[in-house]
Amino acid sequence: MTTVLLHGLGADRRQPLTLLEPMLREASKEGELIIAPDVRAHGGFLEIGDAGDFAIDALAAEVVAAVRRAIEEAGGSHEEPVHILGISMGAALALRITLDQLLPVERAVFIRPSFDDRPLPDNLRAFPVIGQVLADAGPSGAVEFQEREVYQRVAEVSPVGARSLLAQFTAPDAARRAMRLVEIPRNRAFRDDAELAELETRGIRSLVVGALRDPVHPMTTAERWAAGTASPMLVLPARDDGPAAQAHVLTEQIARWMVNF
């Protein structure tokens, strides 16, 4: 079995590997393949391109090409079923890959989804602002960004979430890669609830993971994904109550779900 792990906006492949790989290794059979590609303008994917390259369909196609190469290099077949787990932006990409049948997905886990059927929903509006400030002022623009209302609204609800936004300014090569923050949030993860329902119709087992008090990844978004896909939903404690505690619940419950279903 091959498992694909997809990271969030502004992160890289190390994010899901650090969080999920130990659990997956423990729960899976020896020799199973885990693939965690970097999305365009993240991690080791150095090319930026233009605005059109950040359309969700284009990003999904690049991810799938990387996954297929990795499977072939490992001596496997990309016609074999895969499991796919994505965090935030990675959840949106995992959904598109599954809905569009770009890979033969058997099970999907959508962790803290932040995208829905609207371009640039309110919960993602901070990212284009960060991208523009980065393009104009570089990493030192973090001071200016903290004066913006879009930052302060997040900070009032979740100091940890606010720190995560500020971390975009110190990410590797952040200013050169600022376009990713401007363009990717303009994507829609799905067309409507009827499209979400296609997962159940096709017999794909899925799990949606939401977290309390997370204004960038609202529970209402996770609830909509879960209802639309007819998936069970795991509710995590807030990161502000302890990131380690949240990670423990996440990995323990995902492992249990993957074994039991």
Side-chain angles (χ1 to χ4, degrees), residues 19 32 41 65 100-101 107 119 146 167 185 203 225 227 236 242:
L19 179 62
E32 293 193 1
D100 295 340
Q101 303 183 61
R107 294 184 187 178
Q146 290 178 77
W225 282 51
L236 302 178

Side-chain angles (χ1 to χ4, degrees), residues 8-245:
L9 180 59
D12 60 40
R13 65 191 300 271
R14 294 172 297 176
Q15 180 197 35
L17 284 172
T18 300
L19 179 62
L20 300 169
E21 185 179 25
M23 173 272 293
L24 291 169
R25 293 293 183 200
E26 186 174 340
S28 64
K29 297 177 182 177
E30 186 175 350
E32 293 193 1
L33 184 61
I34 295 176
I35 303 171
D38 283 320
V39 177
R40 173 179 288 269
H42 292 77
F45 197 136
L46 302 181
E47 185 177 352
I48 306 296
D50 58 30
D53 293 314
F54 292 97
I56 195 165
D57 292 343
L59 295 174
E62 288 179 337
V63 165
V64 169
V67 169
R68 287 177 172 168
R69 285 195 300 271
I71 291 173
E72 291 170 0
E73 289 169 2
S77 168
H78 51 71
E79 296 180 359
E80 295 294 321
V82 304
H83 296 165
I84 191 165
L85 296 83
I87 302 170
S88 190
M89 175 191 74
L93 289 169
L95 180 67
R96 288 285 11 126
I97 289 167
T98 305
L99 286 171
D100 295 340
Q101 303 183 61
L102 302 180
L103 289 172
V105 176
E106 181 180 77
R107 294 184 187 178
V109 180
F110 308 117
I111 301 170
R112 294 190 296 128
S114 53
F115 292 69
D116 56 24
D117 59 344
R118 300 167 294 166
L120 196 59
D122 288 344
N123 56 292
L124 295 180
R125 289 189 179 276
F127 291 98
V129 176
I130 296 170
Q132 190 59 59
V133 173
L134 267 171
D136 293 342
S140 64
V143 175
E144 175 194 339
F145 176 67
Q146 290 178 77
E147 298 173 355
R148 301 288 187 96
E149 182 183 359
V150 70
Y151 167 82
Q152 293 170 2
R153 285 202 305 265
V154 173
E156 288 173 2
V157 177
S158 172
V160 172
R163 289 198 295 272
S164 295
L165 293 179
L166 292 177
Q168 298 288 350
F169 287 90
T170 56
D173 210 10
R176 189 179 71 89
R177 292 170 158 179
M179 186 185 295
R180 67 189 180 186
L181 303 179
V182 174
E183 297 299 333
I184 292 177
R186 301 182 191 280
N187 284 286
R188 301 185 304 166
F190 53 91
R191 184 183 63 249
D192 51 29
D193 291 342
E195 187 177 37
L196 284 177
E198 292 177 16
L199 263 67
E200 182 186 24
T201 302
R202 288 165 38 204
I204 296 170
R205 294 173 177 170
S206 58
L207 173 69
V208 177
V209 181
L212 299 174
R213 301 202 317 275
D214 188 337
V216 176
H217 310 86
M219 277 295 297
T220 52
T221 300
E223 289 166 351
R224 186 175 180 192
W225 282 51
T229 58
S231 303
M233 191 172 84
L234 168 63
V235 178
L236 302 178
R239 284 189 293 174
D240 292 277
D241 294 337

